[in-house]
Amino acid sequence: MVYGGSSLNLGWTKEDDFGLIVENRRRFLRSAGGIWGGEDGQETGWKMVTLRQVHSATVRVVGREALEGRLETPEGKAVLEGDGMMTDVPGVMLAVGTADCVPVLVVDVARRAVGGFHAGWRGTVAGIAGQGISAMRAEYGSRVEDLRAAVGPSIGACCYAVGDEVRAAFGERFRYAGELFREVGGAMHVDLWEANRRQLLDA
């Protein structure tokens, strides 16, 4: 991988050089307007906060300690474990790492709070999107009419073949589980986009 390459990996994967990931993150923040030159010529700007994601329904509140670098190791790796974050602190960028899993992003336009949630099939069954909405309502007094949500790109129902244990897990949790599955080429596929959309609507 090279700087500015097609992947621009921001995750701490063992396949990529540590220094490249640090530089990719700096370049990403700069391109998003999150890094600028200070009065002394030193770069300053937003803090990117990540989690050690574990396919749970755990949601973390990110406060001003993020701006002080207390939510990361000296190398920039995540300290907190969980699969959801929320903040109302200006200058904090929440980053959710995904590949096949679904990123769910929520903003409270009245209270200027945001949430980012990592929803694989386990997190979706655990109710991470709904838990996130509940946590924002409890922490910030968010009203559902002020919330806007986006279900981001991930593996689609066209391609996500799963086993009977996944269908059973959804069936135990959601009354509409049957609408989330369809057979494609002899294999059972699940629609995580629709699952999280329905979860958001229910919340």
Side-chain angles (χ1 to χ4, degrees), residues 36-44:
W36 53 88
E39 293 179 7
D40 57 0
Q42 296 294 312
E43 288 188 337
T44 186

Side-chain angles (χ1 to χ4, degrees), residues 59-143:
V59 179
R60 302 288 187 177
V61 178
V62 176
R64 299 197 63 80
E65 69 276 13
L67 298 176
E68 301 163 5
R70 290 192 279 141
L71 298 184
E72 61 186 18
T73 66
E75 298 81 25
K77 295 184 178 182
V79 170
L80 296 177
E81 185 176 277
D83 290 273
M85 295 176 285
M86 57 186 185
T87 191
D88 63 352
V89 178
V92 173
M93 177 184 280
L94 305 181
V96 177
T98 62
D100 289 349
C101 298
V102 180
V104 178
L105 308 177
V106 179
V107 60
D108 181 332
V109 297
R111 287 157 182 78
R112 300 178 64 83
V114 296
F117 311 103
H118 165 251
W121 79 259
R122 288 181 178 85
T124 301
V125 167
I128 184 69
Q131 293 277 43
I133 298 297
S134 295
M136 291 181 71
R137 294 180 71 181
E139 184 70 20
Y140 307 122
S142 294
R143 301 182 307 165

